[in-house]
Amino acid sequence: IDLTNAKELPNFASARIDGSVGYDKKLLEKCGFEAPGFNAPSVNVDKAYHIRMAGFDFFGNKYDEIEATYFVNLDDSTLYDDIAIVSLTIDEKDMWDYEDGMYTTGIDWDEYYKDFDNNGAADTRWCFWGANYRRDDVEKKCKLTVFDEEKNQILSQDCGIRIQGNGSKGEAQKSFSLYARKEYNNMDYFNADLTESGYQQDKYILSSGGQDQISKLSDYIVQKASTELPYSTMDMRPCTVFINGEFWGFYFICEPYNTKYFANHYNVNENDLIIYRNGYLNEGQEGDEAEYEKMYSFITENDMTIEKNYQKACEMIDIENFAAYGATMLYLGRVGDWPIANEECFKTKHIDPDLPYADGRWRWAVFDFNSSDEDVGKYAMEIERVDKVDAGLGNAMWNHLFQNPEFKARTAAYLQHLALVDYEPDKMNAIVKDYKDNYGDVLEASAVRFYDNAKKKQIADEIEDTRYYFERRALICKNLVWYMCGWDYLIDDWKD
């Protein structure tokens, strides 16, 4: 089989404009929304070959099958230097079929549009309008092939694939969840550690950046800089994705929060875990949600300035974890989509004195700093809010605990630690520079794929805004601590 540079082949799936209602600029503007600018690329995108071959006997019975992905002339471009490549091969019908395709607007959009006004569409953000891609729990089969940064194939495995996210499902470039299941290849785990987490995964997330679609930096920089803080963070490995041989943009391979994550990171029994996420029981047995509700009710309905109440709260939650978590949300200006969403915590149901984290206390994880809230800004670290010192947290538990002097002192200490250590400007500048130097070209190619222009200035502006946020926030932190906690909670060097 003679393989030439596949980029010369015409665009196929990347030429479609039915992957999001956001392509309909006139309709969005008619409803008062700013159109995101989605467009099919006017140039040929990079492509790969995925070749499948099978052997059949005299009666037509298949007895063997092999398949492989080939990138030809990849070395001619520096775009893929030092970055992993993920190839997804999926039946075109499963992606684009009018009735059953999971990536298209499809029949669900046409049905929704028939009753557009009664659906309250004009008052609903366009990314939540009905479409095939908004169906919950639709899973298709795909072939996952992964090449590492040196272009060595490290994984080739059949798995399940779903559209990942909530509001971000409406984006042209969507995120995916990948599931290892025995029904696909007799394995309930992935046969490669793609995030170098040190344990076998049964799920990965391919994140497109959520609603941080241009620079894609916000969630990545927080996760990377927060690893020494006493809450959970996830590994994010930059990569490029190809779907059925066509370039699908810049992504991150993410280690998901689930029972395997918490069991392996905290050395607890996976079957003994309760995970509560976004107001619902995510993992556990029916009735386990009462554990969270009991804790939440006690802290929000009792006076935390009374020492016995505060000590009981400390028995229910890891107070160090929660203070660091709240301080991080304050420092990063997290409002709007949190804490009503994007909040996750876990605990063990039973106490094992031999396991430090099997103590029955709730602990929190940080994630999704890339989600949007149109009323208050695009996402956390919004540049317009960098000087804000008067915005407390919308978290009722934190607000009650903050009345206690000991918890207030912990919060003040973490705010100052963030400014001086974890998010110290020189450290953050180095992360931003490394990100821009290594992935700037891929970000531009990703924007060309989904917006038909490089959006070079917007990419550069967003990256610079993120760098500036951390530089400025460290200076403002003194005022933040003074206003939120009081003069006495400032370290001595900050009182000068």
Side-chain angles (χ1 to χ4, degrees):
I1 300 175
D2 186 20
L3 303 183
T4 59
N5 189 347
K7 186 173 184 177
E8 299 172 359
L9 299 173
N11 295 341
F12 179 64
S14 55
R16 303 182 69 110
I17 58 170
D18 58 347
S20 169
V21 297
Y23 282 97
D24 194 335
K25 179 179 178 180
K26 290 183 178 179
L27 179 60
L28 265 61
E29 291 180 345
K30 179 183 176 182
C31 294
F33 297 109
E34 181 181 354
F38 300 150
N39 276 302
S42 58
V43 298
N44 281 8
V45 300
D46 286 343
K47 300 178 183 70
Y49 291 98
H50 189 82
I51 297 177
R52 302 174 66 189
M53 292 182 282
F56 298 84
D57 65 18
F58 179 79
F59 300 100
N61 300 309
K62 184 171 69 174
Y63 60 83
D64 198 7
E65 180 179 342
I66 59 173
E67 57 184 306
T69 300
Y70 296 91
F71 293 87
V72 180
N73 293 341
L74 202 64
D75 293 338
D76 293 346
S77 171
T78 60
L79 197 64
Y80 306 98
D81 291 348
D82 301 319
I83 189 169
I85 299 176
V86 174
S87 172
L88 302 173
T89 308
I90 182 171
D91 193 307
E92 293 287 345
K93 183 177 183 293
D94 289 339
M95 284 285 280
W96 302 110
D97 183 74
Y98 175 70
E99 293 187 350
D100 296 322
M102 72 172 187
Y103 206 102
T104 182
T105 53
I107 189 174
D108 288 6
W109 166 240
D110 285 346
E111 292 298 321
Y112 185 87
Y113 188 72
K114 285 179 183 178
D115 206 15
F116 194 72
D117 293 334
N118 289 334
N119 282 325
D123 299 319
T124 303
R125 290 169 58 194
W126 62 267
C127 55
F128 293 105
W129 290 348
N132 283 21
Y133 52 72
R134 290 212 57 83
R135 295 176 182 176
D136 292 331
D137 300 331
V138 172
E139 183 171 320
K140 307 291 186 178
K141 178 183 177 181
C142 80
K143 166 71 74 173
L144 169 66
T145 306
V146 182
F147 300 85
D148 67 16
E149 287 75 6
E150 287 73 43
K151 307 303 172 280
N152 302 305
Q153 181 176 302
I154 58 174
L155 178 67
S156 182
Q157 184 171 331
D158 290 341
C159 65
I161 184 170
R162 300 183 184 185
I163 304 294
Q164 160 74 20
N166 190 13
S168 63
K169 287 181 177 180
E171 301 290 344
Q173 185 188 15
K174 308 183 196 304
S175 300
F176 301 100
S177 294
L178 304 173
Y179 297 88
R181 303 193 194 280
K182 288 187 176 180
E183 63 192 85
Y184 298 124
N185 69 343
N186 296 318
M187 295 172 63
D188 57 3
Y189 61 89
F190 286 103
N191 198 26
D193 186 0
L194 300 182
T195 57
E196 299 181 353
S197 56
Y199 60 96
Q200 288 182 325
Q201 304 271 16
D202 59 6
K203 176 184 177 182
Y204 285 110
I205 295 171
L206 280 177
S207 172
S208 66
Q211 289 169 302
D212 181 11
Q213 284 280 301
I214 306 303
S215 71
K216 306 178 186 287
L217 177 56
S218 53
D219 208 30
Y220 175 78
I221 196 170
V222 174
Q223 299 290 348
K224 191 172 183 67
S226 304
T227 55
E228 298 303 315
L229 289 159
Y231 47 65
S232 301
T233 59
M234 64 174 65
D235 288 331
M236 299 178 68
R237 183 179 187 175
C239 68
T240 55
V241 170
F242 285 73
I243 296 182
N244 289 350
E246 288 187 274
F247 178 70
W248 220 258
F250 181 64
Y251 278 79
F252 300 96
I253 305 171
C254 300
E255 174 188 25
Y257 293 137
N258 53 23
T259 55
K260 286 188 179 297
Y261 174 99
F262 296 117
N264 283 278
H265 280 273
Y266 294 92
N267 189 29
V268 295
N269 185 344
E270 183 178 349
N271 297 321
D272 194 39
L273 282 163
I274 303 172
I275 302 176
Y276 198 80
R277 180 183 178 115
N278 296 343
Y280 298 95
L281 181 68
N282 185 258
E283 294 281 355
Q285 298 178 345
E286 184 177 354
D288 282 347
E289 64 274 10
E291 298 269 339
Y292 181 90
E293 293 164 0
K294 177 183 177 182
M295 174 272 297
Y296 184 88
S297 296
F298 177 80
I299 293 176
T300 57
E301 294 174 6
N302 288 279
D303 185 351
M304 290 295 115
T305 64
I306 298 175
E307 189 59 21
K308 67 175 184 179
N309 289 340
Y310 181 69
Q311 290 304 319
K312 184 174 180 180
C314 292
E315 295 172 1
M316 299 174 122
I317 68 174
D318 183 331
I319 205 72
E320 191 79 8
N321 164 278
F322 194 63
Y325 175 77
T328 299
M329 299 299 164
L330 273 172
Y331 197 93
L332 300 179
R334 191 71 185 268
V335 291
D337 69 328
W338 178 92
I340 58 173
N342 300 320
E343 181 178 15
E344 181 161 359
C345 54
F346 76 98
K347 70 182 289 290
T348 57
K349 194 168 184 178
H350 302 96
I351 297 174
D352 185 338
D354 294 326
L355 301 176
Y357 290 98
D359 56 8
R361 295 190 296 169
W362 290 97
R363 292 176 172 87
W364 275 258
V366 298
F367 68 102
D368 205 2
F369 288 91
N370 49 34
S371 51
S372 169
D373 190 292
E374 293 180 355
D375 294 330
V376 296
K378 186 178 180 183
Y379 45 81
M381 296 165 281
E382 186 72 6
I383 200 70
E384 285 79 7
R385 298 202 299 275
V386 69
D387 286 352
K388 294 283 186 181
V389 297
D390 57 349
L393 294 183
N395 188 301
M397 280 177 48
W398 187 90
N399 286 329
H400 274 74
L401 287 166
F402 191 70
Q403 303 307 311
N404 184 280
E406 197 273 341
F407 185 80
K408 187 177 292 187
R410 287 179 184 268
T411 301
Y414 271 114
L415 285 170
Q416 292 166 96
H417 196 272
L418 291 173
L420 298 171
V421 181
D422 301 285
Y423 302 153
E424 188 272 328
D426 286 344
K427 172 186 175 180
M428 304 310 284
N429 284 344
I431 295 175
V432 169
K433 183 180 185 304
D434 181 72
Y435 183 82
K436 184 177 180 180
D437 290 346
N438 289 331
Y439 310 120
D441 290 344
V442 185
L443 286 167
E444 289 186 21
S446 192
V448 168
R449 161 63 185 88
F450 291 100
Y451 299 87
D452 193 30
N453 64 82
K455 291 208 171 188
K456 185 174 183 179
K457 186 176 185 305
Q458 186 173 344
I459 293 170
D461 286 349
E462 288 188 8
I463 291 176
E464 171 59 21
D465 283 352
T466 302
R467 186 205 65 78
Y468 175 77
Y469 184 94
F470 286 101
E471 181 178 275
R472 178 67 179 170
R473 198 61 168 167
L475 298 174
I476 294 298
C477 189
K478 181 189 298 186
N479 293 338
L480 180 62
V481 174
W482 188 1
Y483 182 87
M484 293 291 298
C485 305
W487 177 264
D488 292 340
Y489 290 91
L490 288 169
I491 59 175
D492 291 338
D493 287 348
W494 280 15
K495 290 181 180 179
D496 296 336

